[in-house]
Amino acid sequence: MALNNPAFSRNEAFTSGQGAVAVAQDMSAQQLNDLYSQPATLPDRDVMTIEDSIAKSAAAFGVLLVGAAIGWLTVQSIPFLWIGAGLVGFVLALVNVFKKEPSPALILAYAGVQGIFVGGISAWYEMAFGGGIVAQAVIATLVVVGVTLALFASGKIRASKKATKIFLVAMVGYLVFSLVNMGLMLFNVTEDPWGLRGVEFMGIPLGVIIGVLVVIMAAYSLVLDFDFIQQGVRNRAPKKYGWTGAFGIMVTVIWLYLEILRILAITRE
């Protein structure tokens, strides 16, 4: 399952035990002796739990909401602040993904900066496409997250190797489409403000059709995020990795929200 979110797949705490075998083979005899002389498991207070991961996720989203309020309120007084915040957020996301150990400070910094971006772009959508579009996108996002979590918790939906492979192929295809569409728009090949997304197929904008598929992909990405956290709890990973779980979920939820916001905007054209 460690194929989707690099925030999880780069950490052995969220993978199966096979990685531990390879690590053990590379260790010296003294290192192995030191390892086996340590306590078998961490104390319960020091291991990752579902409750602790939820608390850390709530803290991260709280910071994100504060940033979103700043971005919303300053979208006119400080133009393009949210664009700069988006670029900084992208850099911080890469830093958090490639760090071997989770850093609460960097993850919360990402939440705050990305919140400014989300708040700013939300305010721009609200002004450009009419009142209520942001509220609709927020409600739709909460519904998708809530339903996905409920289905996962009840065991009615689970990640599988086959579904994950399909998901990865779809992700690559969507990335290629997005890059091509961005190129066409930058070089004025298409006059439509949405590029290829504005092309109608059987009377429906292509952006809406693709957007619905992307929402489904984001929902499955959430399933993978929940699965990775559950795996970390089963592996009795150190408590600090709850921050990694919070970061992974936050990235997916932001992606989901922005996709829903764009779908609603396209339908209002």
Side-chain angles (χ1 to χ4, degrees), residues 83-105:
I83 296 178
L87 295 175
V88 174
F90 177 73
V91 173
L92 286 174
L94 292 179
V95 172
N96 281 302
V97 164
F98 290 103
K99 275 185 64 67
K100 293 184 179 180
E101 299 287 331
S103 170

Side-chain angles (χ1 to χ4, degrees), residues 38-157:
Q38 295 176 357
T41 59
L42 292 171
D44 289 342
R45 67 178 182 277
D46 295 330
V47 299
M48 183 178 174
T49 64
I50 296 294
E51 293 77 11
D52 183 65
S53 298
I54 293 175
K56 287 180 170 60
S57 298
F61 276 102
V63 173
L64 185 140
L65 289 176
V66 172
I70 295 173
W72 181 281
L73 295 174
T74 59
V75 69
Q76 291 183 321
S77 59
I78 310 178
F80 306 115
L81 171 66
W82 58 275
I83 296 178
L87 295 175
V88 174
F90 177 73
V91 173
L92 286 174
L94 292 179
V95 172
N96 281 302
V97 164
F98 290 103
K99 275 185 64 67
K100 293 184 179 180
E101 299 287 331
S103 170
L106 286 176
I107 291 172
L108 291 176
Y110 166 81
V113 173
Q114 197 70 355
I116 295 175
F117 167 73
V118 170
I121 198 172
S122 296
W124 180 84
Y125 269 100
E126 189 80 3
M127 292 184 294
F129 297 98
I133 188 172
V134 171
Q136 292 175 359
V138 170
I139 292 172
T141 301
L142 292 176
V143 169
V144 173
V145 173
V147 170
T148 304
L149 179 59
L151 291 175
F152 181 83
S154 65
K156 297 184 182 299
I157 183 172

Side-chain angles (χ1 to χ4, degrees), residues 8 18 25 33 44 111-112 115 123 128 140 152 165-166 169 195 224 247 255:
F8 297 113
Q18 293 177 351
Q25 290 175 344
N33 183 64
D44 289 342
F152 181 83
K165 289 180 180 179
I166 295 174
V169 172
L224 289 174
F247 172 69
W255 172 38

Side-chain angles (χ1 to χ4, degrees), residues 4-266:
N4 168 43
N5 195 330
F8 297 113
S9 60
R10 291 179 60 84
N11 285 292
E12 294 174 8
F14 297 94
T15 59
S16 63
Q18 293 177 351
V21 175
V23 172
Q25 290 175 344
D26 293 333
M27 297 175 69
S28 67
Q30 182 60 44
Q31 289 174 319
L32 286 172
N33 183 64
D34 293 340
L35 176 64
Y36 290 130
S37 65
Q38 295 176 357
T41 59
L42 292 171
D44 289 342
R45 67 178 182 277
D46 295 330
V47 299
M48 183 178 174
T49 64
I50 296 294
E51 293 77 11
D52 183 65
S53 298
I54 293 175
K56 287 180 170 60
S57 298
F61 276 102
V63 173
L64 185 140
L65 289 176
V66 172
I70 295 173
W72 181 281
L73 295 174
T74 59
V75 69
Q76 291 183 321
S77 59
I78 310 178
F80 306 115
L81 171 66
W82 58 275
I83 296 178
L87 295 175
V88 174
F90 177 73
V91 173
L92 286 174
L94 292 179
V95 172
N96 281 302
V97 164
F98 290 103
K99 275 185 64 67
K100 293 184 179 180
E101 299 287 331
S103 170
L106 286 176
I107 291 172
L108 291 176
Y110 166 81
V113 173
Q114 197 70 355
I116 295 175
F117 167 73
V118 170
I121 198 172
S122 296
W124 180 84
Y125 269 100
E126 189 80 3
M127 292 184 294
F129 297 98
I133 188 172
V134 171
Q136 292 175 359
V138 170
I139 292 172
T141 301
L142 292 176
V143 169
V144 173
V145 173
V147 170
T148 304
L149 179 59
L151 291 175
F152 181 83
S154 65
K156 297 184 182 299
I157 183 172
R158 283 290 183 268
S160 68
K161 291 183 178 180
K162 182 177 181 181
T164 302
K165 289 180 180 179
I166 295 174
F167 169 82
L168 288 174
V169 172
M171 278 294 295
V172 172
Y174 179 62
L175 177 61
V176 172
F177 168 81
S178 298
L179 291 175
V180 170
N181 190 48
M182 184 181 297
L184 293 176
M185 295 171 64
L186 289 175
F187 291 102
N188 296 320
V189 177
T190 173
E191 296 181 356
D192 192 288
W194 298 105
L196 295 178
R197 298 177 192 272
V199 177
E200 292 192 356
F201 178 75
M202 298 182 65
I204 304 174
L206 188 60
V208 173
I209 298 174
I210 293 177
V212 171
L213 295 176
V214 173
V215 168
I216 295 173
M217 289 164 54
Y220 184 73
S221 180
L222 276 175
V223 172
L224 289 174
D225 293 342
F226 298 148
D227 185 66
F228 286 134
I229 292 175
Q230 195 176 68
Q231 183 66 49
V233 172
R234 283 196 297 263
N235 290 349
R236 293 181 63 82
K239 193 174 184 178
K240 60 185 177 182
Y241 284 103
W243 285 109
T244 305
F247 172 69
I249 291 177
M250 186 166 47
V251 170
T252 302
V253 172
I254 291 173
W255 172 38
L256 173 64
Y257 168 74
L258 293 177
E259 290 294 341
I260 292 176
L261 194 58
R262 179 159 48 195
I263 292 174
L264 294 174
I266 292 175

